[in-house]
């Protein structure tokens, strides 16, 4: 199993910055993809950014050039640096991991509990 614990959310004014962290723990062979998603009330959870174990990244169009996802494989931690925040970035942000619990195991998928990010105008 993999446990994901997020931190770093909070309240910030528009134009400000926040850095989210997500630490993975538990018993697993390897975490392949880590990602950040976000969700607002009444809407579907949407992808914000992904990063592979090799460091390849992908971003939603709405956050490109403002957000940066990074990863420390040794610490099994993923980060999301959010700059130039806008009120529409307000959401609960969720950490996601696709992991193999054993070398021959299928990929399993895990979510963190979420952290609230609120951007005031």
């Amino acid at each position: 199993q993999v446990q994901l614990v997020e931190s770093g959310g909070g309240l910030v004014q528009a134009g400000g910055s926040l850095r989210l962290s997500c630490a993975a723990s538990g018993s697993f062979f390897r975490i392949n993809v880590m990602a950040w998603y976000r969700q607002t009330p009444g809407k579907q959870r949407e992808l914000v950014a992904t990063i592979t174990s090799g460091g390849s990244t992908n971003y939603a169009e709405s956050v490109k050039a403002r957000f940066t996802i990074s990863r420390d494989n040794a610490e099994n931690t993923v980060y999301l640096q959010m700059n130039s925040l806008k009120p529409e970035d307000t959401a609960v942000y969720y950490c996601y991991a696709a992991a193999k619990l054993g070398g021959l195991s299928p990929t399993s998928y895990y979510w963190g509990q979420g952290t609230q990010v609120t951007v005031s105008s």
Side-chain angles (χ1 to χ4, degrees), residues 10-70:
L11 174 64
V12 65
Q13 287 190 330
S17 298
L18 280 175
R19 189 191 196 210
L20 305 183
S21 300
C22 172
S25 62
S27 179
F28 50 87
F29 175 70
R30 183 178 63 238
I31 297 178
N32 294 326
V33 176
M34 299 190 82
W36 290 95
Y37 284 73
R38 64 187 182 188
Q39 188 171 25
T40 53
K43 292 190 177 182
Q44 282 192 325
R45 195 170 293 187
E46 65 172 359
L47 177 68
V48 176
T50 66
I51 186 166
T52 67
S53 56
S56 296
T57 59
N58 184 53
Y59 296 92
E61 283 296 326
S62 60
V63 306
K64 276 184 180 178
R66 297 190 299 123
F67 291 10
T68 301
I69 189 170
S70 60

